[in-house]
């Protein structure tokens, strides 16, 4: 159960990190994030069908989704930016539905799988049983998180992104090219979304609703960790993943999504800036 | 009975438009006038529908019921319970800022849907509740029942419209609009903002609950599938935005226009007689059409078809 | 040292500017020479911040022109102005709280392709205490320290003109002198300063010239000494 929590948690961490980056830097809740995950997962499905190596599939799908996100911003979000975060939220819901149904049309409504092989679980210390795919999920998620960490900490653009998340006007005042920051934010945010989507598809299956269904837990993780705080999102993701799995011991599994919602409400009532958040940033 | 096939279809269309108009009016009160970001419409609608169904249906082993109350009691109960749920929901969430409120209301709608899906003792789960009675349903033949129901729906829609129009022009409405414009200013004038927001949320929810009840008695059958939060709620939002947020006539116009677009595309697709796979895909195409309509309106004519009612009452 | 004739580096010509439908400035003009410190004082709401923000391109003036270094920069965007040698330190929220001191400084030199390290050394020379604390998050610093980090960030690109909005705001009285001393030091290294200050006396004491702004208009102009010695100004704006 704990293992399942960590697996789900890893996926949520990846999704939430991408989401917290766009939420923190672009200052609106992008409800299309889940469906960008779906897009990435399905893109990988097609690529996998071309018999490309796994790593290549991953990278191309991430790049593709990054491009899709940048396109979405250019066409839809950028013209609407001056109208405020509520309008952007509404438009992002429209975008979400658009993406989801495009996926449905292109790939069909039935469930799909990356591979039909049944996997035998490994036996690990402490009597934990884990399948090779599941290990891969945790491994890839961890690797990507480390890469994001290095990017944010060490590169000039990464620092500029953190600065813009802290104080967008000051970033402008300091001379930071905020347009480029926005582009990079979408690129990385959506690439992470694609990765999360692929891992989700590996863990369960692919269906057009997959991204949307995980969106509420993603937001819960983002808000729990503090909007715009990637490390908070990482912690939040693990917590949400674990609490969802642990809850199945007490309540029916059908109510799993309600668990993250309950956590969300608790956070919003007790400490809306999140467990790591310092300042409430939104007006 | 094939009396006036097209006419019959038109009546069904108008009844549904009326129900949607009521929902959109409720949203207009919450969002258009007061600025409450409610993405949980489907939840209130579902509560209203199920409440009315449970109050009025006969005894059944599949679900809660057996009270056999008349139609109007069902409708009143629908509104009342929906309002109560709104009140409960509002206590923790109304102090939240815009997008937080949105996320919270989605969660609530989802939870409500989960409850109706899983608590079979209450709602018969995914199989839904059938045989919901309606006023004079046993007495009138199908076509005339629908016509009668159209009158009932129009009456409720008219009531809702008049009520919200009066409210808009009243001192209460002025406070609500101030809250939308600048919440801090409203608080500075000494008004208990939370109180007003709650009143608005509950009133809107009552209206939405009534719409739910009307729906249940019209169709005669409900299941959690009908209330798929995102699609459903999204449709209402598009209706309001297309018509013009803040404008009651816009709300009604938007409801009719978007419902027309929605069923029009359904008509088209039915006529094509596609295989099941293609049907689902065609359904997806309809949603894409509505989404694109929304984005275009947001980008090109954000005030909607009828535009926001100009401040003629200040 | 040869005495260089003072050159006018900033000329604000009769600007009208404001927010939304309201105009705050109703035709304000000031000049700043390339070697001096100019302080603008006046009551709250006089438009001092609006003036500085208009110069830096955060507000576009509705009328009038702004000439910097001989070039018309009216309405230019901040990112362009930073490259031309203008720098601005807002009154508050002027550091990136989750970034370290060093990273804050780095962001000040974002557009620099290279030479960041040597510039940072200069800033550490100006504020020696920062060197040891350079990995501390700016949000964990005291108010006075944050002000200095904000100043340092603005200096990273070697600006010709520094725009300061109340550098002593929120500081304890003994810190106020400290920060103004630093401003004087910065100025003597060749950076012109246009400053808004509530601590008018102390600011005028280090300034070459000053302006009084009230209700969005020029009320008075003179050298620092003139303004300090003027009884009218002393009564109205300097606290007697």
């Amino acid at each position: 159960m704990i293992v399942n929590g960590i697996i789900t948690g890893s996926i949520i961490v990846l999704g939430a990190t991408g989401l917290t980056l766009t939420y923190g830097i672009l200052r609106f809740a992008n409800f299309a994030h889940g469906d960008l995950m779906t897009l990435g997962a399905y893109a990988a499905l097609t690529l996998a069908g071309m018999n490309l190596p796994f790593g290549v599939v991953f990278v191309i799908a991430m790049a593709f989704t990054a491009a899709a996100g940048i396109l979405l911003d250019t066409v839809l979000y950028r013209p609407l930016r001056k109208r405020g975060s509520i309008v952007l939220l509404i438009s992002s819901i429209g975008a979400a539905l658009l993406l989801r149904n495009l996926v449905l049309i292109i790939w069909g409504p039935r469930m799909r799988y990356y591979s039909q092989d049944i996997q035998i679980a490994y036996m690990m210390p402490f009597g934990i049983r884990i399948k090779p795919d599941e290990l891969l999920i945790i491994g890839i998620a961890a690797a990507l998180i480390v890469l994001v960490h290095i990017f944010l900490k060490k590169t000039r653009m990464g620092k500029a992104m953190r600065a813009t998340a802290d104080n967008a006007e000051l970033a402008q005042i300091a001379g930071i090219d905020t347009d480029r920051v926005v582009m990079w934010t979408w690129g990385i945010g959506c690439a992470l979304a694609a990765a999360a989507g692929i891992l989700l598809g590996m863990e369960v299956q692919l269906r057009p609703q997959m991204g949307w269904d995980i969106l509420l837990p993603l937001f819960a993780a983002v808000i729990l960790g503090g909007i715009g705080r990637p490390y908070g999102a990482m912690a939040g993701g693990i917590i949400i993943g674990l609490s969802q799995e642990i809850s199945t011991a007490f309540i029916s599994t059908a109510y799993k999504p309600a668990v993250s919602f309950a956590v969300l409400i608790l956070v919003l009532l007790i400490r809306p800036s999140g467990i790591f958040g310092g300042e409430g940033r939104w007006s | 009975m094939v009396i006036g096939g097209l006419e019959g279809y038109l009546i069904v269309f108008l009844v549904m438009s009326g129900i949607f108009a009521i929902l959109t009016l409720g949203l207009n009160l919450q969002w258009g006038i007061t600025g409450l970001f409610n993405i949980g419409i489907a939840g209130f609608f579902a509560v209203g529908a199920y409440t009315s169904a449970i109050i009025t249906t006969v005894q059944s082993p599949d679900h809660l019921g057996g009270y056999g109350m008349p139609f109007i009691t069902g409708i009143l109960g629908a509104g009342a319970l929906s309002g109560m749920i709104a009140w409960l929901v509002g206590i923790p969430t109304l102090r939240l800022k815009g997008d937080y409120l949105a996320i919270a209301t989605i969660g609530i709608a989802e939870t409500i849907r989960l409850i109706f899906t899983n608590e079979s003792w209450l709602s018969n789960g995914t199989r839904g509740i059938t045989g919901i009675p309606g006023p004079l349903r046993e007495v009138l033949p199908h076509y005339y029942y629908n016509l009668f129901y159209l009158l009932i729906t129009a009456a409720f829609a008219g009531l809702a419209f008049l009520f919200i129009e009066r409210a808009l022009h009243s001192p209460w409405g002025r406070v609500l609009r101030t809250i939308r414009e600048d919440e801090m200013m409203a608080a500075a004038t000494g008004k208990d903002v939370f109180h007003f927001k709650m009143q608005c949320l509950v009133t809107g929810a009552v209206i939405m609950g009534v719409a739910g009840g009307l729906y249940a008695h019209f169709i005669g059958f409900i299941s959690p599938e009908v209330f798929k939060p995102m699609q459903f709620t999204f449709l209402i939002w598009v209706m309001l935005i297309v018509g013009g947020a803040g404008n009651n006539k816009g709300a009604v116009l938007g409801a009719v226009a978007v419902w027309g677009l929605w069923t029009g595309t359904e008509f088209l697709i039915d006529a094509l007689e596609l295989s099941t796979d293609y049907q689902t895909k065609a359904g997806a195409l309809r949603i894409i059409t509505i989404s694109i309509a929304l984005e275009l309106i947001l980008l090109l004519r954000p005030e909607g078809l009828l535009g926001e009612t100009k401040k003629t009452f200040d | 040292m040869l005495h260089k004739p003072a050159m006018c580096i900033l000329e604000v010509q009769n600007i009208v500017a404001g927010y939304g439908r309201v105009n705050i400035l109703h035709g304000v003009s000031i000049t700043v020479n390339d070697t001096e410190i100019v302080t603008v004082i006046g009551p709250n709401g006089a438009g001092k911040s609006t003036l500085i923000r208009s110069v830096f391109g955060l507000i576009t003036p509705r009328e009038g022109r702004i000439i910097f270094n001989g070039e018309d920069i009216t309405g230019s965007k901040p990112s362009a102005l930073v490259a031309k040698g203008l720098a601005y330190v807002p009154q508050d929220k002027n550091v990136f709280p989750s970034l370290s001191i060093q990273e804050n400084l780095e962001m000040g030199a974002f557009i620099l392709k290279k030479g960041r390290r040597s510039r940072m050394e200069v800033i550490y020379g100006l504020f020696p205490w920062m060197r040891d604390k350079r990995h501390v998050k700016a949000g964990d610093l005291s108010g006075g320290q944050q002000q200095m980090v904000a100043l340092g960030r603005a200096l990273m690109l070697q600006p010709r003109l520094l725009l300061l909005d109340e550098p002593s705001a929120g500081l304890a009285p003994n810190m106020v002198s400290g920060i103004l001393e630093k401003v004087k030091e910065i100025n003597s290294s060749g950076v012109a300063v246009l400053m808004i200050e509530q601590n008018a006396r102390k600011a005028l004491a280090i300034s070459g010239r000053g302006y009084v702004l009230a209700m969005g208009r020029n009320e008075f102009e003179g050298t620092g000494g003139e303004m300090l010695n003027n009884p009218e100004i002393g009564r109205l704006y300097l606290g007697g």
Side-chain angles (χ1 to χ4, degrees):
Chain A
M1 196 204 302
I2 305 279
V3 172
N4 276 337
I6 299 198
I7 296 171
T8 314
S10 310
I11 296 173
I12 296 181
V13 162
L14 270 186
T17 308
L19 184 59
T20 206
L21 282 175
T22 57
Y23 204 165
I25 295 177
L26 291 144
R27 284 170 164 64
F28 80 99
N30 179 22
F31 272 57
H33 193 88
D35 296 281
L36 283 161
M37 282 173 62
T38 310
L39 185 67
Y42 275 88
L45 185 68
T46 305
L47 290 165
M50 298 181 196
N51 278 317
L52 296 165
F54 180 71
V56 175
V57 166
F58 225 89
V59 169
I60 298 184
M62 283 171 71
F64 170 73
T65 314
I70 294 175
L71 181 66
L72 181 62
D73 182 63
T74 312
V75 166
L76 184 62
Y77 295 148
R78 184 153 19 117
L80 292 176
R81 261 204 263 286
K82 53 185 176 312
R83 309 260 303 282
S85 65
I86 304 268
V87 171
L88 284 168
L89 206 161
I90 297 175
S91 72
S92 76
I93 297 181
L97 278 164
L98 220 137
L99 280 170
R100 198 175 329 157
N101 287 281
L102 263 172
V103 164
L104 205 158
I105 291 184
I106 300 178
W107 281 279
R110 294 183 227 237
M111 291 195 228
R112 307 284 289 270
Y113 299 87
Y114 284 124
S115 128
Q116 299 292 83
D117 308 331
I118 313 267
Q119 293 199 331
I120 318 268
Y122 293 146
M123 281 301 288
M124 305 211 50
F126 308 112
I128 300 175
R129 302 170 68 215
I130 191 165
K131 301 194 205 121
D133 257 6
E134 294 174 338
L135 265 176
L136 193 60
I137 290 176
I138 299 181
I140 294 180
L144 282 174
I145 290 300
V146 168
L147 278 175
V148 170
H149 169 85
I150 295 178
F151 178 81
L152 288 176
K153 268 276 175 220
K154 303 277 183 203
T155 66
R156 198 165 63 112
M157 183 44 76
K159 294 177 197 177
M161 281 167 68
R162 283 162 50 210
T164 312
D166 262 4
N167 187 336
E169 193 183 61
L170 187 63
Q172 243 203 325
I173 288 173
I176 295 177
D177 185 343
T178 35
D179 283 338
R180 267 186 49 214
V181 169
V182 166
M183 203 186 78
W184 274 88
T185 306
W186 281 111
I188 297 187
C190 293
L192 288 175
I198 298 175
L199 294 182
L200 183 61
M202 280 168 66
E203 191 204 1
V204 214
Q205 78 256 134
L206 289 112
R207 49 195 179 85
Q209 280 286 109
M210 64 194 282
W212 177 262
D213 284 347
I214 207 175
L215 192 62
L216 201 59
L218 287 186
F219 271 112
V222 165
I223 292 175
L224 181 59
I227 298 177
R229 300 198 182 277
Y231 309 106
M234 295 172 196
I238 297 286
I239 295 177
I240 296 285
L242 279 172
S243 52
Q244 275 197 190
E245 289 303 317
I246 293 176
S247 75
T248 59
F250 309 108
I251 59 179
S252 145
T253 48
Y255 283 107
K256 256 201 260 188
V259 171
S260 43
F261 173 62
V263 173
L264 177 66
I265 289 287
L266 276 172
V267 173
L268 286 177
L269 288 178
I270 302 176
R271 198 178 155 80
S273 49
I275 49 184
F276 298 104
E279 350 120 19
R281 207 176 287 115
W282 315 114
S283 55
Chain B
M1 252 206 164
V2 199
I3 291 187
L6 195 61
E7 242 180 37
Y9 193 77
L10 187 64
I11 293 180
V12 172
F13 172 77
L14 286 174
V15 173
M16 288 304 292
S17 300
I19 293 177
F20 278 112
I22 298 175
L23 280 164
T24 313
L25 283 168
L27 182 63
N28 192 30
L29 180 65
Q30 291 173 342
W31 162 251
I33 296 173
T34 315
L36 292 178
F37 205 173
N38 175 17
I39 308 195
I41 304 172
F44 298 126
F45 186 69
V47 165
Y50 271 98
T51 307
S52 201
I54 289 173
I55 291 181
T56 55
T57 47
V58 297
Q59 184 79 25
S60 160
D62 298 326
H63 60 87
L64 192 66
Y67 304 105
M69 295 267 171
F71 167 77
I72 197 69
T73 319
I75 297 288
L76 289 176
L81 196 63
S82 183
M84 259 200 285
I85 301 272
W87 183 73
L88 283 170
V89 157
I91 296 178
T93 58
L94 271 184
R95 298 192 199 275
L96 299 176
K97 290 173 283 236
D99 34 356
Y100 287 169
L101 181 62
I103 298 172
T105 50
I106 291 191
I108 288 158
E110 264 302 295
T111 309
I112 292 179
R113 189 178 69 89
L114 281 175
I115 293 177
F116 283 129
T117 309
N118 292 295
E119 302 302 314
S120 306
W121 60 270
L122 175 69
S123 62
N124 202 19
T126 50
R127 286 180 300 275
I129 300 182
T130 57
I132 304 175
L136 304 183
R137 189 197 279 274
E138 291 85 38
V139 180
L140 294 171
H142 188 70
Y143 173 77
Y144 290 105
Y145 174 69
N146 286 355
L147 195 58
F148 181 50
Y149 210 83
L150 177 58
L151 291 173
I152 296 180
T153 309
F156 274 101
L159 266 171
F161 180 85
L162 284 170
F163 174 72
I164 300 185
E165 270 292 297
R166 285 293 310 280
L168 193 60
H169 294 248
S170 74
W172 186 66
R174 259 197 294 282
V175 177
L176 293 180
R177 269 180 293 119
T178 315
I179 293 178
R180 180 185 193 192
E181 292 293 315
D182 187 340
E183 201 171 307
M184 281 205 273
M185 191 160 77
T189 61
K191 306 284 179 197
D192 184 348
V193 169
F194 181 78
H195 215 60
F196 278 92
K197 278 187 179 176
M198 181 60 95
Q199 287 169 356
C200 170
L201 182 71
V202 170
T203 313
V206 167
I207 295 176
M208 291 175 181
V210 166
L214 284 173
Y215 176 84
H217 293 286
F218 179 58
I219 304 287
F221 163 74
I222 52 172
S223 83
E225 281 310 294
V226 177
F227 310 108
K228 258 216 247 306
M230 248 5 258
Q231 227 140 280
F232 190 86
T233 304
F234 179 65
L235 213 53
I236 312 282
W237 271 93
V238 177
M239 287 173 179
L240 184 60
I241 291 176
V242 163
N247 185 326
N248 284 322
K249 291 201 199 95
V252 176
L253 178 64
V256 177
V258 174
W259 184 241
L261 185 62
W262 183 251
T263 48
T265 47
E266 183 173 28
F267 222 1
L268 264 169
I269 287 166
D270 275 349
L272 291 174
E273 286 184 22
L274 304 162
S275 68
T276 345
D277 238 10
Y278 275 110
Q279 271 197 358
T280 330
K281 292 194 182 181
L285 200 59
R286 290 164 70 204
I287 299 179
I288 292 181
T289 314
I290 301 277
S291 307
I292 295 184
L294 173 70
E295 309 296 11
L296 284 175
I297 291 267
L298 283 177
L299 285 168
L300 302 172
R301 199 182 158 82
E303 69 275 19
L305 291 174
L306 290 185
E308 276 209 40
T309 332
K310 277 309 150 202
K311 331 253 175 176
T312 50
F313 348 91
D314 299 317
Chain C
M1 193 163 93
L2 282 171
H3 179 71
K4 217 174 57 154
M7 184 197 96
C8 175
I9 195 165
L10 178 73
E11 198 181 332
V12 176
Q13 297 172 348
N14 238 316
I15 56 170
V16 173
Y19 306 91
R21 273 176 240 155
V22 183
N23 276 340
I24 311 262
L25 300 175
H26 305 290
V28 170
S29 303
I30 63 169
T31 59
V32 180
N33 292 331
D34 63 347
T35 51
E36 60 182 351
I37 299 178
V38 171
T39 296
V40 176
I41 65 173
N44 282 330
K48 311 190 295 287
S49 279
T50 311
L51 173 64
I52 294 234
R53 290 168 75 84
S54 302
V55 171
F56 197 66
L58 292 165
I59 304 172
T60 305
R62 299 196 172 120
E63 284 173 41
R65 296 204 302 159
I66 300 170
I67 317 277
F68 176 69
N69 222 359
E71 192 186 330
D72 187 336
I73 61 164
T74 322
S76 296
K77 292 203 319 188
S79 43
L81 295 177
V82 162
K84 292 197 208 287
L86 213 55
Y88 168 49
V89 180
Q91 181 180 335
D92 57 4
K93 298 215 187 93
N94 49 21
V95 293
F96 298 111
S98 75
L99 270 59
S100 69
I101 292 183
Q102 176 149 309
E103 291 172 330
N104 265 273
L105 296 181
E106 281 177 29
M107 288 299 96
F110 181 81
I111 61 175
L112 218 54
K113 300 274 192 254
K114 50 193 188 136
R116 215 168 290 133
R117 183 107 338 139
S118 54
R119 283 305 303 163
M120 249 190 281
E121 285 302 312
V122 171
I123 308 294
Y124 289 144
L126 193 56
F127 303 104
W129 64 269
M130 279 189 203
R131 195 190 297 273
D132 286 331
K133 289 203 190 310
R134 62 184 184 280
H135 294 304
V136 174
K137 285 219 187 86
D140 295 336
L141 299 172
S142 74
Q145 291 171 322
Q146 284 187 0
Q147 282 294 65
M148 288 190 252
V149 173
L151 265 177
R153 187 273 309 153
L155 291 170
M156 283 293 288
L157 289 175
Q158 280 180 282
R160 307 278 307 273
L161 172 63
L162 193 56
L163 304 167
L164 301 180
D165 194 336
E166 307 225 12
S168 74
L171 296 187
N174 59 333
M175 301 234 60
V176 172
S177 311
I179 208 120
L180 290 177
E181 274 305 307
K182 277 296 173 196
V183 173
K184 199 150 156 60
E185 202 181 322
I186 292 168
N187 172 249
S188 53
S189 73
V191 184
V193 177
L194 174 61
M195 166 163 80
I196 299 173
E197 247 309 326
Q198 285 287 42
N199 273 289
R201 276 196 187 281
K202 292 189 176 176
L204 286 171
I206 62 168
S207 303
R209 286 187 305 116
Y211 288 86
V212 177
L213 227 59
M215 310 261 276
R217 292 178 211 280
N218 291 74
E219 281 291 316
F220 192 84
E221 174 188 343
T223 67
E226 276 170 14
M227 290 177 67
L228 278 174
N229 293 325
N230 183 318
E232 186 83 2
I233 294 195
R235 191 175 52 84
L236 285 171
Y237 306 111
L238 304 180

